[in-house]
């Protein structure tokens, strides 16, 4: 066997033996980080904060950015990711029209996050929200 062939076989053997370990490490890290945030209820605010304006914008919560709309008395909360799916601007809640609107390019979304007016084509991500005591909890 030539020296070049021997080195090629050794190199191929090293890659073949280490590849499964690298793939397993990448996959286990990814599944751990998503399961910790997507399946659990996370506290994102209090009813006092929500009742002051009828909406609450929470940046950097454990589930991501959340825009909550509603009051603690009504009990029906709307929770969406406020990032416009067109260019990434933060949408505003328009209470009089009961819709979310992007100030950058005028995209509009319904209370269910669905696109009502372009240029956005994808809906806003929605969350399940509930009130326990004075805490507002969101589940992604």
């Amino acid at each position: 066997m030539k020296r070049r062939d021997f080195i090629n076989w050794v190199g191929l053997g090293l890659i073949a033996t280490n590849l499964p370990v690298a793939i397993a490490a990448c996959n286990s890290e990814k599944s751990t980080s998503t399961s910790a945030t997507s399946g659990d209820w996370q506290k994102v605010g209090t009813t006092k904060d929500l009742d002051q304006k009828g909406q609450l914008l929470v940046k950097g919560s454990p589930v991501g950015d959340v825009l909550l709309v509603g009051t603690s008395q009504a009990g029906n909360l709307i929770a969406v990711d406020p990032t416009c799916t067109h260019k990434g601007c933060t949408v505003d809640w328009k209470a009089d029209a009961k819709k979310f609107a992007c100030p950058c390019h005028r995209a509009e979304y319904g209370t269910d996050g669905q696109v009502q007016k372009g240029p956005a084509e994808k809906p806003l991500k929605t969350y399940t929200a509930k009130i326990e005591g004075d805490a507002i909890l969101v589940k992604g």
Side-chain angles (χ1 to χ4, degrees):
M1 178 181 276
K2 294 181 184 175
R3 184 171 42 188
R4 180 176 291 204
D5 292 336
F6 175 76
I7 291 173
N8 285 339
W9 279 107
V10 170
L12 185 61
L14 287 172
I15 291 171
T17 56
N18 289 322
L19 188 62
V21 174
I23 291 172
C26 291
N27 286 341
S28 66
E29 182 178 321
K30 182 185 248 184
S31 64
T32 303
S33 65
T34 55
S35 65
T37 59
S38 64
D40 301 330
W41 289 97
Q42 300 291 328
K43 181 178 178 182
V44 294
T46 65
T47 55
K48 180 181 177 186
D49 297 332
L50 179 65
D51 289 340
Q52 287 177 351
K53 295 183 180 178
Q55 62 180 323
L56 178 62
L57 176 62
V58 181
K59 296 265 189 184
S61 78
V63 295
D65 294 348
V66 179
L67 177 57
L68 287 149
V69 177
T71 62
S72 61
Q73 290 80 23
N76 99 15
L77 294 174
I78 300 167
V80 299
D81 183 331
T83 307
C84 179
T85 59
H86 176 241
K87 292 286 185 181
C89 299
T90 301
V91 298
D92 297 321
W93 171 245
K94 302 297 181 188
D96 54 338
K98 296 195 183 317
K99 64 183 174 186
F100 297 98
C102 178
C104 299
H105 300 102
R106 297 192 176 106
E108 295 178 356
Y109 303 88
T111 56
D112 59 355
Q114 295 298 315
V115 177
Q116 292 183 338
K117 179 181 166 191
E121 296 178 2
K122 296 179 184 176
L124 296 174
K125 179 179 178 183
T126 59
Y127 300 102
T128 304
K130 69 178 181 179
I131 296 173
E132 284 187 0
D134 68 340
I136 300 173
L137 305 174
V138 173
K139 185 176 186 179

